[in-house]
Amino acid sequence: MSSPSNTNRQTWSSRLTYILTVAGATVGFGATWRFPYLVGENGGGAYVFLFCIAMLVIGIPMILVENVIGRRKGVNALDAFGGSMNGKPVAKIWKLVGWMGLLGAFGIMAYYMVLGGWVISYIVNIIGGNLDISSPVDGVITKSFFTEHIENSPWEIAFYTFLFVVVNQWILVKGVIGGIEKAAKYLMPLLFLFLIAMVVRNVTLPGAMEGITFYLKPDFSKITTELFVFVLGQVFFALSLGFGVMITLSSYLDKNENLVQTAVITAITNTIIAVLAGFMIFPSLFSFGVAPNSGPTLVFQSLPIVFSHMWAGPVFAVIFFSLLLIAALTTSLTIYEVLITTIQEKTKIRRTAAITIVLAAIFVFGNIPSILSYGPWKDVSVFGKNIFDAFDYISGNILFMLTALGSALFVGFVMKDEAKEELLYKGNHTTVNIWFAYVKYLVPLVILLIFVSNLF
């Protein structure tokens, strides 16, 4: 028998609200910022094709891994790797998996919130006219704006980042159900509305079909083993796997919920939003002759050029960056919650105190160094990268991968039959058995392949 679940824990009010919350957690900058520029850099439709396959190969199985770990005891992402299993105490060394997840959550929030500050800066400056895109501009102007207002304005970005933190704090103090769930119920439909508006606007532009063709028609000559492994790694980022988000969210999930069904819906929802994000970007890039392979600066330096050539460009630019901000918010709330829930349950302090500790610690020791890495601390190097990029690299390429590997091994070699019991639902024994064998033997090998390839 497993340790008893936390019977005092609240559960999601419905499957829909859980799915909306998980969708919010997995959309974020991964779908709206990272996915489009990776598509542009890696062959357009070829990358999209591999991404959809990777979601089946690694995405859905790993969602289920974290779901069964989280729901088993209904506790935080650290204690989820403890207790007893199959009548035996779980070795304390497994808590290391939880600790790596927590460190990864800290690492991603260290720079993630700063990206939110960047987005707010763009919204404010477009509305205020400091970034005037009411008439056509070129790359020199957008690059100059980025240099002046993002890289060389640490106080400005610190203020906007702090503002973004405050918005998160305001929602978080209301609790998981009263705050995060309620926010997702309103923010996700708004995000979809903005997304559809941008897609409709961009696919109807003159010359948009060229961008749609680039985006959807795979060039199979560009599909390589190396690219597929790279795409598999992106799926972890896209689904918020490896840093305790799914474990934490599923710890509030009712025992009667069909985990297989919710995992499939989660993966499909994330894929749809990521693909739609491409539709709101690539048609417009090709319509106005902007290169799609400009990398991480695609959203911040290339798209303003596009908006400047559009009818009502500033309005659509504000809508676009507002969409990014909403996506970032729905993700940041859930990543913060991983750390907040852990501190609250481990120390028994009040939730408001746990929130203050987490948000303040990340702001001081993560957000501020990331902001300064583009200004006064630009010469500080970690693993050959500035502080901002180092947080991204260490959390995304090392900690997330090791946590995911440990989670798969934990399910396959420690939870064993108890993992299957969590997934059994109305006679789906065959599906569960296939998943378990796959997770136990093949998934760890896939993760190790991704991990090694990311290091070299």
Side-chain angles (χ1 to χ4, degrees), residues 236-279:
F236 281 84
F237 191 95
L239 289 173
S240 297
L241 296 170
F243 46 100
V245 169
M246 290 292 183
I247 293 175
T248 301
L249 294 182
S250 58
S251 72
Y252 293 90
L253 200 57
D254 188 275
K255 285 288 186 180
N256 295 318
E257 190 60 67
N258 184 343
L259 290 183
V260 175
Q261 194 174 78
T262 56
V264 171
I265 293 172
T266 297
I268 291 174
T269 303
N270 180 278
T271 304
I272 289 173
I273 294 176
V275 171
L276 281 175
F279 274 108

Side-chain angles (χ1 to χ4, degrees), residues 44-251:
Y47 187 95
V48 177
F49 175 73
L50 290 179
F51 182 80
C52 293
I53 295 176
M55 194 63 74
L56 296 174
V57 171
I58 198 73
I60 294 175
M62 280 305 301
I63 292 173
L64 289 171
V65 164
E66 298 203 3
N67 281 167
V68 299
I69 294 173
R71 194 173 69 170
R72 178 182 70 95
K73 289 184 66 182
V75 293
N76 60 79
L78 182 59
D79 288 336
F81 291 93
S84 62
M85 208 76 65
N86 302 301
K88 298 178 182 179
V90 175
K92 292 184 178 179
I93 194 171
W94 286 104
K95 289 283 184 77
L96 286 174
V97 180
W99 279 112
M100 286 189 294
L102 297 179
L103 287 173
F106 178 93
I108 192 172
M109 293 306 286
Y111 75 90
Y112 198 90
M113 298 304 291
V114 178
L115 285 172
W118 290 9
V119 173
I120 294 175
S121 176
Y122 269 80
I123 294 172
V124 171
N125 282 290
I126 290 171
I127 293 174
N130 289 324
L131 179 56
D132 186 1
I133 54 175
S134 58
S135 58
V137 300
D138 57 21
V140 175
I141 292 176
T142 58
K143 188 177 188 306
S144 174
F145 174 84
F146 188 84
T147 300
E148 180 181 350
H149 289 272
I150 302 298
E151 295 182 339
N152 295 334
S153 297
W155 288 111
E156 179 182 345
I157 298 304
F159 173 75
Y160 291 135
T161 302
F162 179 74
L163 184 62
F164 191 39
V165 172
V166 169
V167 172
N168 277 263
Q169 190 268 348
W170 178 71
I171 296 172
L172 287 166
V173 294
K174 300 177 186 298
V176 173
I177 307 303
I180 297 177
E181 180 189 274
K182 196 169 184 179
K185 286 169 64 176
Y186 292 101
L187 291 174
M188 287 307 294
L190 185 61
L191 185 147
F192 273 109
L193 182 64
F194 282 178
L195 188 57
I196 296 301
M198 290 300 302
V199 169
V200 171
R201 179 69 186 95
N202 286 345
V203 298
T204 55
L205 290 169
M209 187 52 65
E210 186 181 352
I212 294 173
T213 301
F214 168 82
Y215 184 52
L216 292 185
K217 186 178 180 180
D219 180 352
F220 290 104
S221 67
K222 295 183 178 179
I223 296 179
T224 63
T225 302
E226 183 181 5
L227 179 60
F228 187 48
V229 172
F230 179 67
V231 175
L232 287 169
Q234 164 62 12
V235 168
F236 281 84
F237 191 95
L239 289 173
S240 297
L241 296 170
F243 46 100
V245 169
M246 290 292 183
I247 293 175
T248 301
L249 294 182
S250 58
S251 72

Side-chain angles (χ1 to χ4, degrees), residues 346-363:
K346 296 298 289 183
T347 64
K348 308 302 181 185
I349 62 176
R350 289 176 10 181
R351 179 174 176 82
T352 51
I355 291 170
T356 301
I357 291 170
V358 169
L359 272 60
I362 292 175
F363 185 76

Side-chain angles (χ1 to χ4, degrees), residues 250-328:
S250 58
S251 72
Y252 293 90
L253 200 57
D254 188 275
K255 285 288 186 180
N256 295 318
E257 190 60 67
N258 184 343
L259 290 183
V260 175
Q261 194 174 78
T262 56
V264 171
I265 293 172
T266 297
I268 291 174
T269 303
N270 180 278
T271 304
I272 289 173
I273 294 176
V275 171
L276 281 175
F279 274 108
M280 73 174 176
I281 290 175
F282 291 104
S284 61
L285 291 177
F286 280 81
S287 180
F288 297 110
V290 178
N293 59 344
S294 51
T297 62
L298 175 68
V299 165
F300 295 102
Q301 293 187 39
S302 297
L303 281 183
I305 300 173
V306 171
F307 289 123
S308 75
H309 286 82
M310 250 184 224
W311 173 81
V315 174
F316 284 102
V318 170
I319 292 174
F320 172 77
F321 283 109
S322 297
L323 183 154
L324 289 188
L325 193 63
I326 293 170

